[in-house]
Structure formats: C-alpha cells, structure tokens
Amino acid sequence: MSPETFAELEAVLRRPKLQRAFTRAGVDITSFLATIQAEVQFVDPHPTNTPLRDAHDRPFLDLMATTPPPKYFVTGDKDFEASHYSGVPDISAAEFARLLTQR
C-alpha cells in the first residue's frame, strides 16, 4: 500500500453508505483503519504508462507494478477485472475480510 492509496481507502470508507455498513457490522472505521495501517507494508509505487479509463486509478496501477507485486488487490472497481493491467488478482472486500478472519 502507498500513502496515496491508504488516503483513498480512508476517504472511501468514510462515505456515508459505507459508514452505515460498518456501523451495522459493529466495526469502528477508525479502529479498522488503524489495524490496516499497522498490518500493511507501505511502499513507493512504480510509475507506469499503461493507459487507463479513469486517471484516478493510476496510484493503484502504479502500486501493482512494484517489485515484488502485491499478493492481491482489494477492489470493487470493474476496471481492474482485466488481468492485463498487472497480473495481480483482484478480490472483493468480502473475500478480503474472509482472508483476514482465517489468519
């Protein structure tokens, strides 16, 4: 994860729709973000020139181009379903939560 992608995660999780989902699940967003921040490895992304439909996705594509690449990419963004972007498998947030609980 990069500082830029972490900032994007925080912004997305603080959207009202997701705040309601976290509240229903009994999960405090601030604590969740603190756990993520403590568990991830922050890296400097590798800039890429791959064309993208949405320029706001560039930080994520650059992050997937690091060496070694991430094990997976947690997203619901359909643009990243195409493996030609990076070869890094994309997984849903629900699948990621399952992975975290299996550790």
Side-chain angles (χ1 to χ4, degrees), residues 19-59:
Q19 284 184 344
R20 288 189 298 272
F22 272 74
T23 299
R24 280 192 308 273
V27 177
D28 176 72
I29 292 174
T30 301
S31 297
F32 177 77
L33 288 167
T35 299
I36 295 292
Q37 194 169 23
E39 294 290 326
V40 302
Q41 178 183 2
F42 283 91
V43 298
D44 292 322
H46 177 70
T48 62
N49 295 325
T50 304
L52 288 169
R53 183 190 65 77
D54 183 354
H56 290 99
D57 289 340
R58 175 69 51 202

Side-chain angles (χ1 to χ4, degrees), residues 9-11 23-24 30 46 57 61 80 91-92:
L9 172 65
E10 183 172 17
T23 299
R24 280 192 308 273
T30 301
H46 177 70
D57 289 340
L61 185 61
F80 286 98
I91 63 172
S92 68

